[in-house]
Every structure is written in C-alpha cells, then in structure tokens.
C-alpha cells in the first residue's frame, strides 16, 4: 500500500514541480482524502515527501537535508495526537450508539397513543429538551369505560431519569388487572420510589381515573404542577386542587383524592413543569399567559391542540427549550353512540 | 447563572449556609457539595435563602437530599428567608409540610 502511495505521490509532486498546473493540486486533494481514509500517520506522508524531493533534487544543500530530520521529529507528535483522536472518535461513536439504543428503549416506555374512550378526546405530546426525557405519561385501561391516566416528572435528566422511568412503568403495569384508586396507586409508587432512588431524586405525578360512564375524573397528586380544568359553562380555567408530597421523600404518605365532573366541552389540561417554567423574554411564563394560549386552541381536536400549544410555546421561547415538556388534554366530547 | 454559598459555623445552635443567586441544574452541585457534609452529625442546619430568587427542581432535589440525611441522623434542616416563588414550589411539592421553614419573606402574604 505504501509503495503505491509513494509512487503516486512522487508522480503527482514531480508533475506539479514541472508545470505547477492546478489539476495536480486537485489530485493532491484527492490523494489526501485517500491518505486519511487509510489512516496513514502524518510523519509518514512527510517522509514520502522528503524521499521524493531527495530523488528529484540530489544536489540539495546539506542543511536542508538535515532540516528534514527535524521536520519528521516534529511530525511524530502530530501522529500520536492523530491516533488519540482516532481512538476518541471511535469511543464517541460507540457511546452515541449506546445512547441511541437507550433513547429508542425509552420511547418504548411511552404509550403510542391514548386508548379510545367513549365520549372523551385525549391528546398528548411529550418532547425531550435533550435526547433522553425525564417526563413520563401513561394510560392504564381498567376496562368498563374506565381509564387510568398518569403524567409524571422525574427530577433529573438523561440516563438516570430514563432508568427511573422504566421502574415507574413496570410498577404501574402491575395495576392493570387490579383497578386501584388514585391514592392507592400513588401510595404504591411512593413505596417503590422511596426504596429505590437516590436521596436527591424525586418524582412528581398526577394519577387520575376517568370514568366515561359518568364523566367523573377522580385524581390524586404527588407534588405535581397543578393542572387546569376548563369549564365550558363559564369559559374559565380553574386550577386542579393539589395536595400531596412528591414521591420518594417519605414513607407512608397519604394522597387525598378529588373528583371533577366534566360536562360537554369541559377539558382537563395536565402538563409538566417544563411548560410552566419556560422563559419568555427572560421572564417565566405566567399562568395567565398559559391559560390564554390553551384557550386559543381548545376548540381543536385534542391531539392537534396539544401540538399547536407546544409549537406556540416553542416559538415564544425563541426555540430554546431548557426542560422536557409534556402537555395532555382530556376533553369531554359528544358520544358517538 | 451563578451562586454564592457561604457557611457560618460559629452559631451555637447549628450551622447556617447562606446562598445567593439561582440554584439550578448548573449550580445545584455546588450547593450539594457544601450542604451534604454538614448533614451528618445531627446538628441543626439552617439554609438561608433570602438572597435566592429561584430554585429549580434539581436544587429542590439537593434540599430533599439534605432533609433525608438530617432525618436519618435526627438533625433538623431549616429553610429561612424563603420568597413567594420558592414557597409556591415547596407548597406544590408538599415539601412545606415536611421541611421546616422559618422567616418567610414578608412579600408572600398571599401565596
């Protein structure tokens, strides 16, 4: 390989010295690409150059010849750095691949779309600020028109949050067959989290059960950013009542339950703190601002509405999202049957 | 985005940590480094937040870590000079019922 390289190099350089034509320089560029591909160290290229020059110009002054040894010595340092860089690039690629696997795994933890529920339109959007998200949501179908809905914020980002998320998901999967009340679900999760996470990690959550037979939403919260309920009758938003310690801080915590009754056109809006803590022109988004934005899009089907709201917030924050954002809308609509 | 943390240990009743600035994902590790070693011998640890205008959830995590460490060694963690915004965060997360809070700032009469 190097004999070929030497011949090729010599040919190009000799031609260029003879007529200094541009196309030989282009040839040199192509050759350099090949050299990089073959991972030829820089000191070797310099050696080839020197050997060629010595062949072409045998009468070089001795000082110049000696200076070549000096140049090679200097280039060896570059060669070492080049090898290190190569090693790091490979390592980086391996890590990237691993993260990519983790990202895909994390995506499988989130449900693809909300299960259909008679007379209810649900939309949800969760966007990670970086590649891995600390926001989580889940739906648990209890059957007989009853759907468990969870939205959760895992404090901390990246891989620790993702690992924690899988713990939450698998704990919740156990609730599938035993329709627990919201406070029982939170108590159960609290025990799991309290036992298993690092002391400075915690999780906030809203868990509610929507009963589509009577359109009651019974919920409990664990330190989660209060959601909103929109009442079509007065066109106003009301804060969801919240009282309950975040998951993972203490044992044996009680989570009080609340019930909201939804009439036609009413909606529940849940979000993560990435939504309320986003900054618009250097200031935190005001709750009133958020209500106005939601109000503008609430007429849309729920999925389109959450997407439009997210897009609007993204524009308002000048496309810089510091935290993961999740928005969920649960709207009572006309029943089909 | 900076935080200043100062420690005053000559207090007979315990140790006070003065924090100034924003406690967020970037500065929370500095607070953790200062605060957690103090939470090991059952002494009362005061965290003075009167010059802190904002704490994010990572910062809150540090306070929770300190609270748990104090609970394990029968010590007390007391927050002082909490402003309205931080108090709202403590209230939403339910932490206001487990972590001691003294001398809330006057401005937050109607949180």
């Amino acid at each position: 390989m190097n004999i070929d390289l030497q011949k090729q190099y010599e040919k190009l350089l000799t031609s260029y010295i003879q007529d200094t034509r541009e196309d030989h320089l282009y040839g040199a560029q192509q050759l350099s690409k090949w050299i990089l591909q073959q991972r030829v160290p820089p000191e070797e290229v310099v050696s080839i150059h020197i050997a060629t020059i010595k062949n072409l110009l045998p009468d070089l002054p001795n000082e110049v010849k000696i200076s070549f040894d000096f140049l090679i010595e200097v280039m060896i340092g570059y060669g070492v750095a080049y090898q290190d860089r190569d090693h790091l690039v490979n390592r980086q690629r391996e890590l990237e691949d691993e993260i990519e696997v983790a990202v895909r795994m994390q995506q499988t933890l989130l449900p693809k779309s909300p299960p259909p529920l008679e007379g209810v339109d649900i939309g949800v959007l969760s966007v990670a600020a970086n590649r891995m998200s600390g926001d989580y949501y889940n739906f648990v179908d209890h059957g007989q028109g009853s759907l468990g809905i969870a939205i959760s914020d895992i404090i901390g980002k990246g891989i620790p949050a993702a690992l924690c998320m899988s713990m939450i998901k698998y704990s919740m999967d156990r609730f599938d067959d035993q329709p627990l009340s919201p406070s029982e679900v939170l108590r159960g999760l609290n025990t799991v989290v309290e036992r298993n996470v690092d002391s400075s990690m915690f999780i906030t959550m809203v868990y509610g059960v929507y009963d589509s037979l009577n359109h009651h939403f019974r919920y409990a919260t664990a330190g989660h950013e209060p959601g909103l309920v929109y009442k079509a009758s007065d066109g106003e938003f009301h804060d969801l009542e919240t009282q309950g310690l975040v998951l993972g801080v203490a044992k044996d915590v009680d989570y009080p339950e609340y019930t909201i009754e939804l009439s036609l056109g009413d909606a529940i809006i849940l979000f993560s703190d990435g939504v309320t803590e986003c900054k618009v022109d250097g200031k935190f988004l005001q709750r009133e601002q958020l209500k106005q934005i939601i109000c503008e899009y609430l007429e849309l089907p729920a999925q389109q509405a959450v997407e439009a709201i997210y897009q609007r917030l993204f524009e308002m924050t000048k496309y810089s999202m510091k935290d993961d954002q999740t928005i969920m809308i649960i709207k009572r609509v006309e029943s089909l049957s | 985005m900076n935080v200043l943390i100062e420690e005053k240990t000559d207090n007979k009743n315990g140790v006070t940590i003065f924090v100034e600035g924003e406690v967020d994902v970037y500065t929370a590790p500095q607070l953790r480094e200062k605060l957690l070693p103090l939470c090991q011998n059952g002494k009362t640890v005061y965290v003075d937040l009167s010059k802190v205008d904002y704490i994010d959830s990572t910062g809150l995590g540090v306070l929770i870590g300190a609270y748990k460490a104090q609970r394990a060694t029968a010590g007390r963690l007391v927050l002082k000079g909490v402003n309205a915004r931080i108090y709202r965060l403590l209230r939403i997360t339910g932490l206001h019922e487990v972590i001691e809070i003294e001398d809330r700032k006057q401005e937050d009469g109607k949180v």
Side-chain angles (χ1 to χ4, degrees), chain A residues 155 157 194 197-202 204 223-226 242-246 248-251 273 276-277 279 284 287 322-323, chain B residues 1 22 25-26 32 36 54-58 60-62 64-68 71 85 88-89 91-98:
Chain A
I155 301 322
K157 292 190 181 60
E194 208 271 335
V197 302
D198 176 78
S199 71
S200 62
M201 225 167 146
F202 64 92
T204 72
H224 196 84
E225 184 67 35
T242 53
Q243 200 198 337
L245 186 62
V246 292
V249 172
K251 287 180 185 137
D273 69 353
T276 45
E277 302 230 320
K279 278 189 173 177
F284 288 107
R287 220 169 155 78
K322 297 258 167 5
D323 198 359
Chain B
M1 272 201 252
E22 288 191 356
V25 66
Y26 305 103
R32 178 182 299 134
L36 289 195
Y54 171 69
I55 291 187
D56 79 349
S57 43
T58 317
L60 211 55
V62 174
I64 289 177
Y67 161 74
K68 284 184 176 176
R71 193 179 56 190
R85 190 172 175 90
R88 178 179 182 272
L89 189 62
R91 196 167 46 85
I92 288 172
T93 49
L95 291 167
H96 69 311
E97 287 189 346
V98 292

Side-chain angles (χ1 to χ4, degrees), chain A residues 50-158:
Chain A
I50 291 167
T52 312
I53 292 289
K54 280 180 179 168
N55 265 342
L56 283 176
L57 311 163
D59 303 326
L60 273 180
N62 201 37
E63 288 87 343
V64 176
K65 285 183 185 161
I66 294 174
S67 82
F68 287 155
D69 299 337
F70 192 86
L71 178 60
I72 287 182
E73 209 51 47
V74 171
M75 290 319 288
I76 287 173
Y78 278 91
V80 172
Y82 181 70
Q83 277 171 7
D84 284 353
R85 183 191 156 277
D86 233 32
H87 177 73
L88 286 175
V89 167
N90 283 336
R91 184 86 194 101
Q92 169 88 6
R93 210 170 285 146
E94 278 169 30
L95 287 174
E96 282 287 319
D97 288 349
E98 268 176 43
I99 291 172
E100 201 44 53
V101 172
V103 168
R104 281 205 301 274
M105 236 193 85
Q106 191 183 33
Q107 278 157 1
T108 65
L109 298 177
L110 294 173
K112 283 199 183 63
S113 58
L117 198 61
E118 182 65 27
V120 188
D121 181 17
I122 302 176
V124 62
L125 182 71
S126 186
V127 183
N130 296 309
R131 297 179 62 190
M132 312 276 291
S133 177
D135 283 3
Y136 181 61
Y137 64 88
N138 196 9
F139 301 103
V140 184
D141 195 348
H142 294 307
Q144 294 170 331
S146 173
L147 181 70
I149 296 166
I151 184 163
S152 170
D153 192 345
I154 296 157
I155 301 322
K157 292 190 181 60

Side-chain angles (χ1 to χ4, degrees), chain A residues 278-279 313-315 317-323 325:
Chain A
C278 65
K279 278 189 173 177
L313 290 173
F314 195 42
E315 282 159 17
T317 55
K318 305 267 189 308
Y319 311 101
S320 83
M321 203 167 74
K322 297 258 167 5
D323 198 359
Q325 295 196 345

Side-chain angles (χ1 to χ4, degrees), chain B residues 24-73:
Chain B
D24 57 18
V25 66
Y26 305 103
T27 58
Q30 295 174 49
L31 179 61
R32 178 182 299 134
E33 233 166 74
K34 267 270 196 254
L35 185 56
L36 289 195
L38 301 173
C39 301
Q40 280 168 359
N41 46 22
K43 263 194 199 167
T44 302
V45 175
Y46 295 91
V47 181
D48 190 324
L49 298 171
S50 47
K51 290 196 171 157
V52 174
D53 20 73
Y54 171 69
I55 291 187
D56 79 349
S57 43
T58 317
L60 211 55
V62 174
L63 295 180
I64 289 177
Y67 161 74
K68 284 184 176 176
Q70 285 294 76
R71 193 179 56 190
T73 55

